[in-house]
Amino acid sequence: QTALRLRGIADARPPIVVTNNDQRFMVAEQLRQIDVTSSAIVLEPASRNTAPAIAVAALFALRESPDSLLLVLPSDHVIAGEAAFCEAARAAAQTARDGYLVTFGIAPTEPHTGYGYIHAGAALVDGARTFAVDSFVEKPDADTARRFIEKGGYYWNSGMFMLKASTYIEELRRYEPEILLQAELALSGAPRDDDFLRLEPQAFAASPNTSIDHAVMEKTTRAAVVAVADLGWSDI
């Protein structure tokens, strides 16, 4: 479903899939069944959260083009409103081309305590629902979540991103250089194995185990959010 979601994105390149060794044949077979050819199926030798995974994908994409945009989509999300998703992706792409790291903020339908929240700041584009990020908020208690809903300007942090590969690498170099170093080493030493790209185990395992939120998004001055409703979204 995540791969097929890309059909509505103009000029989308074949996806870079980052997964682990145990899931490699399932991933390859599911892509074959829907006739999707990947750019690469990258195998992590150890779980190291989203910042290192996205770093490897960004470095790989930069081999193809210095202007590569990454649309980062976890594969455990449900999105019923694909038209709204594609519209949001188009808006996010334009903002990402301007040098922002864009996250997708989901308009909350209830005071949910299971999601982190994004507080939107100043609008970046007149007439569009794209804002600078004022702050990221950890999963709140019920009273705090209700206040967010009443106040407005708060969105669920979906964990989906649109960003220029080069911008992400620049910000990693600034805030988490060790993640970037180990990603570079892991990718440079990665052999091809049929459909799979196996990251060098020692280098990747040496990377800090950090999410993109903690490594970059909460520190950068380039964070933006595109506010989205009607996605029918769930982080299952």
Side-chain angles (χ1 to χ4, degrees):
Q1 290 176 358
T2 307
L4 289 174
R5 203 167 289 146
L6 300 173
R7 292 175 299 182
I9 309 296
D11 302 322
R13 303 291 299 159
I16 302 166
V17 182
V18 182
T19 185
N20 65 51
N21 189 67
D22 291 345
Q23 293 179 318
R24 67 191 187 282
F25 294 127
M26 180 190 72
V27 169
E29 176 61 17
Q30 289 193 6
L31 291 176
R32 187 197 63 78
Q33 289 174 358
I34 61 174
D35 197 27
V36 169
T37 301
S38 65
S39 293
I41 300 175
V42 181
L43 302 182
E44 293 180 314
S47 175
R48 281 298 177 268
N49 218 307
T50 52
I54 298 169
V56 168
L59 292 167
F60 186 89
L62 286 171
R63 292 177 173 179
E64 180 173 306
S65 169
D67 297 320
S68 291
L69 282 176
L70 292 184
L71 174 57
V72 180
L73 301 176
S75 63
D76 61 348
H77 289 190
V78 168
I79 296 178
E82 292 204 359
F85 167 75
C86 293
E87 181 180 350
R90 285 190 289 271
Q94 184 55 56
T95 303
R97 289 189 185 97
D98 291 336
Y100 288 93
L101 304 173
V102 186
T103 185
F104 291 70
I106 309 298
T109 56
E110 59 179 315
H112 207 296
T113 59
Y115 301 135
Y117 284 71
I118 299 165
H119 185 211
L124 295 177
V125 182
D126 290 340
R129 296 184 63 78
T130 307
F131 308 90
V133 170
D134 180 70
S135 62
F136 289 89
V137 185
E138 295 295 331
K139 296 174 183 178
D141 58 32
D143 288 341
T144 303
R146 279 191 290 271
R147 287 198 298 272
F148 289 168
I149 302 298
E150 293 167 0
K151 186 175 181 180
Y154 286 86
Y155 301 91
W156 292 337
N157 186 354
S158 71
M160 300 185 293
F161 302 90
M162 180 79 79
L163 43 87
K164 281 184 73 171
S166 59
T167 303
Y168 181 62
I169 294 302
E170 287 172 11
E171 296 301 88
L172 266 185
R173 184 173 288 112
R174 179 173 291 114
Y175 297 111
E176 287 286 350
E178 187 65 16
I179 291 177
L180 177 58
L181 172 62
Q182 299 304 334
E184 289 172 334
L185 292 172
L187 186 61
S188 66
R192 279 277 187 180
D193 177 9
D194 294 327
D195 296 331
F196 310 111
L197 189 65
R198 296 180 177 274
L199 297 176
E200 200 286 315
Q202 288 185 325
F204 194 75
S207 175
N209 185 11
T210 311
S211 71
I212 182 176
D213 285 332
H214 289 154
V216 171
M217 297 302 292
E218 294 174 2
K219 301 172 182 175
T220 183
T221 60
R222 300 181 179 187
V225 57
V226 57
V228 192
D230 304 321
L231 274 196
W233 173 87
S234 175
D235 177 359
I236 58 174

